Amino acid sequence: AQTVTQSQPEMSVQEAETVTLSCTYDTSESDYYLFWYKQPPSRQMILVIRQEAYKQQNATENRFSVNFQKAAKSFSLKISDSQLGDAAMYFCAWRQGGSEKLVFGKGTKLTVNP
Amino acid sequence: ETGVTQTPRHLVMGMTNKKSLKCEQHLGHNAMYWYKQSAKKPLELMFVYSLEERVENNSVPSRFSPECPNSSHLFLHLHTLQPEDSALYLCASSQQTFGTGPEKLFFGSGTQLSVL
């Protein structure tokens, strides 16, 4: 079974600094997608960034970027210039190509200190 | 309204009660989902509806019964629940291209359910 592991239950960062959240996954599939979702206290999950496994180039979205290491099955999220509004739970997720099902990790709680 | 709206926001029910959770999406999407978020566990997919037909039932107990009357509305009917069913129930929607899976899920704010 496919699994997604987030080894850091909690992380903290100073405002304006950079933080990296870790994610590893286990799959034998070659066609898949990886995601980072953010869940603020409002509880509404929001997509932060998405990566297709067949793309070697790391995805970026403004201050958010990923380090996708396919051979190592690693998909870390880097948040640059952290802002107070970045404080949230962050979930890494995996989906097989063509499948409806997202497999989520347990999440990392990010605290941003002023 | 925009996005995905879930009601009620909070729900407390006894084990013998029957209640329903409602989800409405205003995004014109063609697929809707129920996810369960329990404390200290990963989010779990419960049901998927694509074009109003159920395409995935992720081994969910029969005390949870979904209903999708149209592409904008999704319900989760609850009866004779157990205390371990207490969780945050999240609804999501997506616009799917057939056979490729959802590119992006749009979530509601969830219903926090407590079963006494």
Side-chain angles (χ1 to χ4, degrees):
Chain A
Q2 282 77 17
T3 57
V4 176
T5 302
Q6 294 179 249
S7 58
Q8 307 151 317
E10 295 188 26
M11 292 282 286
S12 63
V13 64
Q14 291 295 127
E15 195 174 4
E17 297 295 309
T18 296
V19 65
T20 299
L21 308 183
S22 301
C23 173
T24 58
Y25 57 95
D26 184 19
T27 183
S28 58
E29 302 292 336
S30 58
D31 177 22
Y32 57 88
Y33 299 80
L34 294 160
F35 307 83
W36 279 98
Y37 277 87
K38 168 185 177 181
Q39 187 178 38
S42 68
R43 307 186 321 205
Q44 187 176 27
M45 302 267 286
I46 303 165
L47 179 66
V48 175
I49 201 163
R50 172 177 168 272
Q51 174 84 41
E52 295 91 337
Y54 63 85
K55 289 188 176 179
Q56 293 186 336
Q57 186 173 8
N58 289 325
T60 62
E61 287 288 342
N62 300 314
R63 297 183 295 107
F64 298 88
S65 61
V66 298
N67 183 4
F68 175 43
Q69 300 290 327
K70 191 171 183 178
K73 298 181 181 177
S74 171
F75 184 62
S76 60
L77 174 69
K78 185 172 84 171
I79 306 174
S80 303
D81 185 27
S82 297
Q83 300 176 359
L84 295 177
D86 295 333
M89 286 291 294
Y90 285 82
F91 294 93
C92 180
W94 173 96
R95 177 176 68 78
Q96 181 179 347
S99 171
E100 302 284 346
K101 184 177 179 180
L102 274 176
V103 178
F104 284 86
K106 291 185 177 181
T108 296
K109 182 180 180 181
L110 178 66
T111 301
V112 180
N113 300 310
Chain B
E1 291 193 47
T2 58
V4 180
T5 304
Q6 289 187 244
T7 54
R9 187 167 174 81
H10 301 275
L11 179 62
V12 179
M13 60 186 290
M15 294 169 61
T16 58
N17 291 160
K18 290 184 179 181
K19 297 286 185 182
S20 295
L21 310 185
K22 179 183 177 181
C23 177
E24 183 174 2
Q25 59 98 359
H26 309 272
L27 300 168
H29 289 164
N30 58 10
M32 297 186 77
Y33 310 76
W34 281 116
Y35 276 86
K36 177 182 179 182
Q37 185 175 18
S38 305
K40 300 182 180 180
K41 291 180 66 176
L43 275 83
E44 302 171 73
L45 178 65
M46 300 177 72
F47 300 103
V48 181
Y49 277 83
S50 179
L51 299 174
E52 302 158 39
E53 289 191 13
R54 190 191 306 179
V55 297
E56 177 110 18
N57 175 358
N58 205 31
S59 302
V60 178
S62 59
R63 57 185 183 270
F64 295 91
S65 175
E67 178 189 2
C68 187
N70 55 61
S71 61
S72 299
H73 294 86
L74 184 65
F75 296 88
L76 188 62
H77 303 299
L78 316 171
H79 64 96
T80 59
L81 293 191
Q82 305 297 311
E84 60 264 30
D85 297 322
S86 298
L88 179 67
Y89 289 85
L90 291 165
C91 174
S93 70
S94 73
Q95 183 60 31
Q96 289 209 39
T97 301
F98 181 75
T100 65
E103 297 303 311
K104 177 178 179 180
L105 294 182
F106 292 77
F107 285 85
S109 297
T111 295
Q112 184 65 56
L113 174 67
S114 297
V115 181
L116 304 179

